[in-house]
Amino acid sequence: YTITPNQPGASSTEQTINVTVDPSKSSENAPQTVDFGIGDAFAESIEFAVTPNSGFSHDKGFFYGTVAGTYTAKARIAAKADCHEETAWSDEVTITVNRLNQTLSWINEAEINTNMIKGSQQRIEATTTSGRAVTYTSSNTDVLTVDADGNLTAVAVGEATITVSRDQDDQYNAAEPISKKFNVRLKD
């Protein structure tokens, strides 16, 4: 997309609006940033419009998508005294902010004992690459219970699978669950 500023006393010049996705410029875990890259000559004269205007913000030409969704953006060079007149809006650019993927992994996998004695306890820990909280669930709470912090209690003899999950939110897709099978037995 190109916008053409109208500069009194000079021929028109073109500035290109380059749309790129740059996750390294994201803030507050924003999944994507769009840089219109209009150039230093007009940087302080650029106006932007984004629709919808929530979930997506901009600062000095860098656009931050904080909520997954589809946005439209346009730019123009605003009037600048003794320099140039306001230009028309550029064509709209459609920007899609996708949810990022996240994965789960065990923090203390080497310490997890999958053979437990009835009445014993242990803690399992898992994390996501997103840093978001995880959910622990037991397939059989009559045998093995787990709380929100990953604390296990062996209640009765039998088998149970503990599954760790992380649901989708406005920035991340749901993570693929991970699980471990536990056997609870009586003390020898």
Side-chain angles (χ1 to χ4, degrees), residues 65-80:
T66 56
V67 176
T70 301
Y71 303 86
T72 57
K74 58 186 177 180
R76 71 177 172 187
I77 298 177
K80 190 171 184 181

Side-chain angles (χ1 to χ4, degrees), residues 21-42:
V21 175
D22 187 351
S24 69
K25 291 185 172 56
S26 62
S27 66
E28 312 242 346
N29 295 322
Q32 296 181 32
T33 303
V34 177
D35 175 6
F36 277 78
I38 292 178
D40 294 338
F42 299 104

Side-chain angles (χ1 to χ4, degrees), residues 2-7 13-17 38-39 41-48 74-80 83-90:
T2 301
I3 55 177
T4 305
N6 183 1
Q7 299 175 320
T13 59
E14 291 186 346
Q15 293 290 318
T16 301
I17 303 173
I38 292 178
F42 299 104
E44 57 199 48
S45 303
I46 304 303
E47 288 182 289
F48 298 96
K74 58 186 177 180
R76 71 177 172 187
I77 298 177
K80 190 171 184 181
C83 183
H84 54 82
E85 296 174 11
E86 181 177 276
T87 64
W89 286 106
S90 67

Side-chain angles (χ1 to χ4, degrees), residues 101-105 128 163-166 173-179:
N101 292 324
Q102 58 183 334
T103 57
L104 288 161
S105 62
T128 62
T163 301
V164 183
S165 60
R166 172 63 201 178
N173 290 315
E176 184 71 31
I178 57 174
S179 60

Side-chain angles (χ1 to χ4, degrees), residues 20 31 64 66 74 93 120 126 136 140 143 167 169:
T20 57
Y64 304 92
T66 56
K74 58 186 177 180
V93 176
S120 67
Y136 299 93
N140 188 348
V143 172
D167 291 337
D169 61 25

